Amino acid sequence: METQKKHIEIHIDIDKAADQLNVQIVAEKPTVSELFVRCLSTVSSAASTIADATNEDEQKVLRDIAAMVSAMADEALDKEDT
């Protein structure tokens, strides 16, 4: 059985002045689980970097990110309900 190479890139641009975060994902035929695992890995790495840069606790940064993701999911549900 031939092993296929997977390619997943996640680009994160942070614009502090505009208070914006832009995320772009480039992936070649990943499975949902591969994409999910890579996204979680990226979030974990980003949380560590943010914690180091801001002298915050890494767990607090992860909780803040989780809260933002949860809020984004709630916004999507609100739009679907209307």
Side-chain angles (χ1 to χ4, degrees):
M1 181 189 218
E2 186 177 319
T3 303
Q4 294 181 350
K5 289 185 178 182
K6 301 289 181 168
H7 181 84
I8 300 172
E9 292 179 34
I10 300 175
H11 302 270
I12 302 172
D13 295 314
I14 301 171
D15 184 348
K16 287 185 178 183
D19 196 26
Q20 290 184 337
L21 177 70
N22 297 309
V23 179
Q24 178 186 12
I25 298 174
V26 179
E28 295 176 14
K29 300 181 181 181
T31 65
V32 172
S33 63
E34 289 168 334
L35 191 55
F36 188 68
V37 166
R38 188 66 191 133
C39 285
L40 288 178
S41 172
T42 301
V43 167
S44 177
S45 178
S48 178
T49 301
I50 291 167
D52 289 345
T54 61
N55 293 322
E56 290 281 343
D57 178 60
E58 188 173 336
Q59 296 301 317
K60 180 188 180 311
V61 174
L62 281 170
R63 283 191 298 274
D64 290 346
I65 291 171
M68 287 187 289
V69 170
S70 179
M72 289 167 42
D74 289 342
E75 287 174 11
L77 287 175
D78 291 343
K79 289 178 184 176
E80 289 177 7
D81 290 342
T82 58

